[in-house]
Amino acid sequence: MTRVFSGVKPTGHLTLGNYLGAMQRWAALDQHEADALFCIVDLHALTVDHDPARVRRLSRQAATLLLAAGLDPELCTVFVQSHVDEHARLSYVLECVATDGEMRRMIQYKEKAARERVRGGSVRLSLLTYPVLMAADILAYGADEVPVGDDQTQHVELARDLAVRFNQRYGHTFVVPRATPPQVAARVMNLQDPASKMGKSDDSGPGIVYLLDEPDVVRKKVMRAVTDSGREVVYDREARPGLANLLEILAACTGGNPSELSGVYESYGALKKDTAEAVVEVLRPVQERHRELCADPGYVEGVLRDGAEKARAMARPTVDAAYRAIGLLPAAAAADIGVTA
């Protein structure tokens, strides 16, 4: 089977965008059609200022919500990145293959570093090198495909470049992955700023529907969504982005088509009301299952423990092979020749 790797960074509460854009597809398709690994990439959350307790809390919440969204540990592997040492082990080896220029060209580093320089500060070194850790996340498992949006394609391209370079210099070790556009996914935008994605790290709370928002909170946010000038309900992402966002959300929640749905409504108010109710109904089973899982924390811990054990067994042979290929002395060989710490 094709092997697929996807990750969730615990830097904020998961949103409707995360669910409709990725998690729903993971549960409905990927875990059934591929050898799929789903990882809470908590090491990536350390690249910026953070509250340690919050990172732990969000990591547990993300894992619980992945399971609540329908991921089945009998069908896929769900685990936490920091529970599998092979990620960090391989990351350093790949740093020895990557170049400074490659890292400094990465878009997120360039943008965040520029903002910090304006403030008279500096970013953490890990922000510069974390794309290599992301490459290690992928290459350690021999992933064939990495379903990502346009904003993450650059990172998968780096993983490809590092895999090819390592294979050419030190012998074939890594599968060269490819970025794949999501087969079925919604592009959910911020309700208050339809030009921006509904991101979990965004501070504009009124424009973001979180997976654990109460129904009345969801309704209030959707009813206050920014729309466009004019009264006619038409689907045009370029000219009417606010309206298009609502139609796409409604379509994603109901299995409809945005263009066809636009012909059903004569007012923005009716569209907003139906969209709000559709979102509430989509989130209802996720929230109910989340409550059940929170009442049984031992189950989630067991899933993560078993997932890490399974992931470790998958990754270790590849990482050990990379260590040997690049010239590191195997631990057993060191013991055999009497080398002591």
Side-chain angles (χ1 to χ4, degrees):
M1 295 178 70
T2 297
R3 181 165 289 177
V4 173
F5 179 94
S6 294
V8 172
K9 184 163 61 174
T11 51
H13 299 286
L14 296 180
T15 72
L16 179 68
N18 296 124
Y19 181 72
L20 296 179
M23 294 164 63
Q24 191 176 52
R25 181 189 71 251
W26 295 349
L29 296 174
D30 289 346
Q31 68 174 345
H32 298 282
E33 298 178 355
D35 182 7
L37 298 101
F38 302 106
C39 181
I40 293 84
V41 288
D42 54 344
L43 295 175
H44 292 295
L46 310 185
T47 60
V48 296
D49 289 340
H50 62 277
D51 174 8
R54 186 170 187 266
V55 171
R56 285 191 290 269
R57 184 170 65 253
L58 289 176
S59 296
R60 178 181 293 277
Q61 184 185 89
T64 306
L65 281 169
L66 288 180
L67 297 174
L71 293 188
D72 184 347
E74 297 296 322
L75 299 175
C76 63
T77 305
V78 181
F79 66 105
V80 176
Q81 180 188 33
S82 63
H83 294 178
V84 181
D85 293 344
E86 279 63 29
H87 291 257
R89 288 180 61 208
L90 183 56
S91 183
Y92 180 75
V93 167
L94 293 178
E95 283 185 21
C96 298
V97 179
T99 67
D100 177 73
E102 285 176 314
M103 296 300 98
R104 295 186 188 279
R105 286 194 296 271
M106 303 304 285
I107 293 173
Q108 290 195 30
Y109 171 77
K110 289 171 65 176
E111 292 179 347
K112 292 182 179 180
R115 286 198 296 269
E116 284 302 314
R117 281 195 296 270
V118 170
R119 299 170 184 162
S122 180
V123 296
R124 299 184 180 192
L125 177 62
S126 56
L127 184 66
L128 177 66
T129 60
Y130 95 91
V132 179
L133 175 58
M134 187 178 293
D137 297 338
I138 299 166
L139 298 181
Y141 297 99
D144 303 287
E145 297 182 358
V146 187
V148 292
D150 293 340
D151 58 332
Q152 293 294 326
T153 301
Q154 187 183 36
H155 292 118
V156 182
E157 288 302 315
L158 175 67
R160 289 176 56 83
D161 291 343
L162 295 180
V164 170
R165 190 178 306 154
F166 191 100
N167 290 346
Q168 290 175 342
R169 291 181 182 177
Y170 306 112
H172 185 79
T173 306
F174 298 117
V175 172
V176 180
R178 60 185 178 275
T180 56
Q183 296 178 9
V184 179
R187 185 188 181 202
V188 182
M189 312 305 282
N190 191 298
L191 295 175
Q192 294 298 314
D193 179 13
S196 303
K197 285 201 318 179
M198 187 182 285
K200 62 182 180 297
S201 301
D202 198 324
D203 293 330
S204 55
I208 303 172
V209 175
Y210 296 104
L211 295 188
L212 296 180
D213 277 347
E214 293 292 333
D216 286 345
V217 173
V218 173
R219 294 185 181 100
K220 184 180 296 185
K221 288 180 177 180
V222 176
M223 294 303 294
R224 292 179 177 177
V226 168
T227 50
D228 314 283
S229 59
R231 296 183 177 181
E232 186 180 2
V233 178
V234 295
Y235 178 65
D236 186 335
R237 173 151 287 286
E238 295 301 321
R240 312 282 287 278
L243 198 56
N245 190 36
L246 290 171
L247 288 165
E248 290 179 358
I249 291 172
L250 178 60
C253 291
T254 62
N257 178 282
S259 296
E260 294 176 359
L261 286 171
S262 67
V264 174
Y265 295 94
E266 297 182 356
S267 71
Y268 290 175
L271 171 61
K272 286 183 175 182
K273 182 178 179 181
D274 282 2
T275 301
E277 293 306 319
V279 172
V280 168
E281 289 308 309
V282 160
L283 296 185
R284 190 185 307 280
V286 177
Q287 294 178 352
E288 290 176 352
R289 180 59 177 153
H290 178 265
R291 285 192 289 271
E292 293 173 358
L293 291 170
C294 286
D296 186 10
Y299 173 76
V300 177
E301 291 173 3
V303 168
L304 296 179
R305 182 178 59 251
D306 294 345
E309 183 177 344
K310 185 178 176 182
R312 197 176 301 118
M314 289 187 210
R316 183 165 294 169
T318 298
V319 177
D320 286 348
Y323 268 50
R324 290 193 300 271
I326 205 169
L328 298 177
L329 189 66
D336 291 342
I337 62 175
V339 176
T340 57

